[in-house]
Amino acid sequence: MEADERRRVIRDYLEQSEEAVVARTLASKFNVSRQVIVGDIALLRAAGAGIVSTPKGYIMRSQIDEGVSEAVVCQHSPDDTKEELYAIVDLGGEVIDVTVEHPIYGLLKGDLNISSRLEADEFISKVQDNPSALLSNLTEGLHIHTIKAKNEDRLQKIKKVLESKGFLYQ
């Protein structure tokens, strides 16, 4: 299969998938290396495809844009990250991303798409098993999450719980 055809099929595959797909799954499906898939995804994004990279794999942006969302500024120690994530997902929320303001690079953003305790635990495991640090470590724990919920009432409940735990930056 030619590269252009493979990229078209990858885009179609992601559009049809109901869950995020990891690069190694795509690499196996197309009998290429994971790095070839990473390059294909980069080219698809450059061509305008709304592909989001999350800790769970690649997903189309259109699949994550339902509900209401709001940017919430938080600050806490790295040890409180799991509790923060649980507070959000336990009320049915989803942590779409995390953003920090770096003094040299400006805004740095990481897509998360965490919507359950299992996904929060998987994220925390990756953090613990990886030599890289949380983005919030660059800013003394100060960070912005885009939080999504099914309605405005649920979003406000999530914010109240984060405030009661001392995670909201005031």
Side-chain angles (χ1 to χ4, degrees):
M1 176 182 300
E2 295 291 324
D4 287 340
E5 174 69 8
R6 182 181 62 247
R7 287 189 280 276
R8 186 191 63 73
V9 175
I10 289 170
R11 187 189 64 238
D12 292 346
Y13 186 81
L14 291 173
E15 286 173 349
Q16 298 300 316
S17 180
E18 294 182 16
E19 296 183 0
V21 181
V22 295
R24 69 179 172 276
T25 298
L26 293 170
S28 176
K29 179 175 176 57
F30 296 105
N31 199 29
V32 295
S33 71
R34 179 187 168 283
Q35 193 57 43
V36 167
I37 296 299
V38 170
D40 285 345
I41 296 294
L43 289 170
L44 286 167
R45 283 181 179 149
I51 300 172
V52 177
S53 178
T54 75
K56 299 178 282 185
Y58 298 113
I59 192 165
M60 298 302 290
R61 178 156 308 282
S62 60
Q63 294 171 307
I64 59 173
D65 283 342
E66 299 172 3
V68 296
S69 62
E70 184 176 325
V72 177
V73 181
C74 298
Q75 186 172 27
H76 57 75
S77 73
D79 293 337
D80 291 326
T81 301
K82 186 180 206 176
E83 185 179 355
E84 176 200 43
L85 295 174
Y86 280 5
I88 296 165
V89 302
D90 285 352
L91 288 171
E94 181 173 2
V95 184
I96 301 299
D97 56 35
V98 61
T99 305
V100 298
E101 187 169 346
H102 191 274
I104 296 171
Y105 300 112
L107 294 179
L108 300 177
K109 177 181 167 185
D111 292 316
L112 298 175
N113 299 103
I114 296 172
S115 60
S116 70
R117 278 186 175 235
L118 175 63
E119 292 170 351
D121 289 342
E122 289 170 347
F123 174 76
I124 295 299
S125 273
K126 283 183 181 179
V127 169
Q128 291 170 342
D129 294 343
N130 194 300
S132 298
L134 293 168
L135 283 178
S136 60
N137 285 3
L138 299 171
T139 56
E140 298 179 3
L142 187 64
H143 58 284
I144 302 167
H145 281 305
T146 303
I147 299 174
K148 182 175 79 173
K150 67 180 180 178
N151 56 44
E152 186 63 33
D153 181 55
R154 185 61 55 99
L155 189 58
Q156 293 309 313
K157 286 179 183 176
I158 292 168
K159 287 172 59 179
K160 283 187 193 299
V161 169
L162 291 172
E163 182 179 24
S164 73
K165 292 181 176 291
F167 296 151
L168 278 187
Y169 184 75
Q170 304 282 337

